Amino acid sequence: LEYNQDSGELNLALNDLLDGHPYSLKLRIQPAGNAFEMTGEFSFTLNLLCSRCAFEFNKNHCEKIHELLIIEEKRPRSSQTQKNTSWGHENGPFCNYLSSEEFGVGEWAHEIIGLSIPSQVTARPDCDDQCDHYKEALQKGWIKNPEESTYKPFEALKNLM
């Protein structure tokens, strides 16, 4: 199976995260006993914002896919089965339990992208106080210098003692 921005099958599902940037998803799904093994590669471009200087930039990302899709009957709500797990070690397959034979590629791809977005990313490894974008962001008021901040979130705790 192959999907990309030109084929368009997943564009609607991925547009809120990729904003029209290119992507390429290549999957191979084959039976593996009472499960299905899914392997492949997912490449996409993310539009990110530097957490230090507020500079907007694009970053290419490539995710190797190795998952087991296990179809199991619905269990009672009190069931203890874990829905997602990685077997054995970091390089082993990720295990997905499905309640039916339908596999939503768009929803799954959306989750893969969402999980790959870093929480604190910098546009460059050396983004610091000397970064031109940082200086511009300070000058335009997009961000505030931490030393000049008057916000002290723990000040209220001082009065509790």
Side-chain angles (χ1 to χ4, degrees):
L1 303 169
E2 265 188 66
Y3 305 94
N4 60 47
Q5 70 279 4
D6 295 329
S7 65
E9 298 98 330
L10 304 179
N11 289 356
L12 185 61
L14 305 180
N15 193 47
D16 65 324
L17 294 176
L18 296 182
D19 197 28
H21 288 291
Y23 65 90
S24 172
L25 173 58
K26 296 176 185 175
L27 292 176
R28 181 174 181 216
I29 301 175
Q30 57 189 11
N34 63 347
F36 294 90
E37 182 178 33
M38 182 169 66
T39 56
E41 187 173 277
F42 192 12
S43 302
F44 49 90
T45 302
L46 291 170
N47 187 16
L48 299 172
L49 193 65
C50 179
S51 61
R52 176 81 176 131
C53 68
F55 179 69
E56 197 170 331
F57 66 101
N58 293 331
K59 184 175 188 222
N60 295 326
H61 188 80
C62 183
E63 191 78 33
K64 299 287 184 199
I65 307 300
H66 188 196
E67 297 194 14
L68 290 177
L69 305 175
I70 299 174
I71 301 165
E72 67 176 14
E73 294 178 22
K74 280 195 169 185
R75 293 178 174 227
R77 288 190 87 136
S78 61
S79 172
Q80 297 297 315
T81 301
Q82 189 173 343
K83 285 298 181 192
N84 299 312
T85 184
S86 181
W87 287 5
H89 51 83
E90 288 182 21
N91 296 326
F94 187 80
C95 188
N96 263 318
Y97 292 93
L98 306 175
S99 58
S100 75
E101 292 185 13
E102 286 187 31
F103 178 66
V105 176
E107 182 180 317
W108 171 85
H110 190 274
E111 187 174 311
I112 295 295
I113 294 170
L115 291 171
S116 72
I117 298 173
S119 59
Q120 288 191 346
V121 64
T122 55
R124 297 186 328 240
D126 62 343
C127 184
D128 58 15
D129 293 349
Q130 301 307 311
C131 171
D132 291 336
H133 301 295
Y134 181 75
K135 291 176 184 176
E136 179 185 3
L138 281 173
Q139 183 182 23
K140 292 186 176 181
W142 298 338
I143 58 175
K144 293 191 184 283
N145 191 334
E147 288 84 35
E148 297 173 5
S149 178
T150 58
Y151 178 66
K152 297 180 182 175
F154 298 106
E155 192 69 29
L157 296 176
K158 190 167 63 172
N159 299 329
L160 295 176
M161 299 191 110

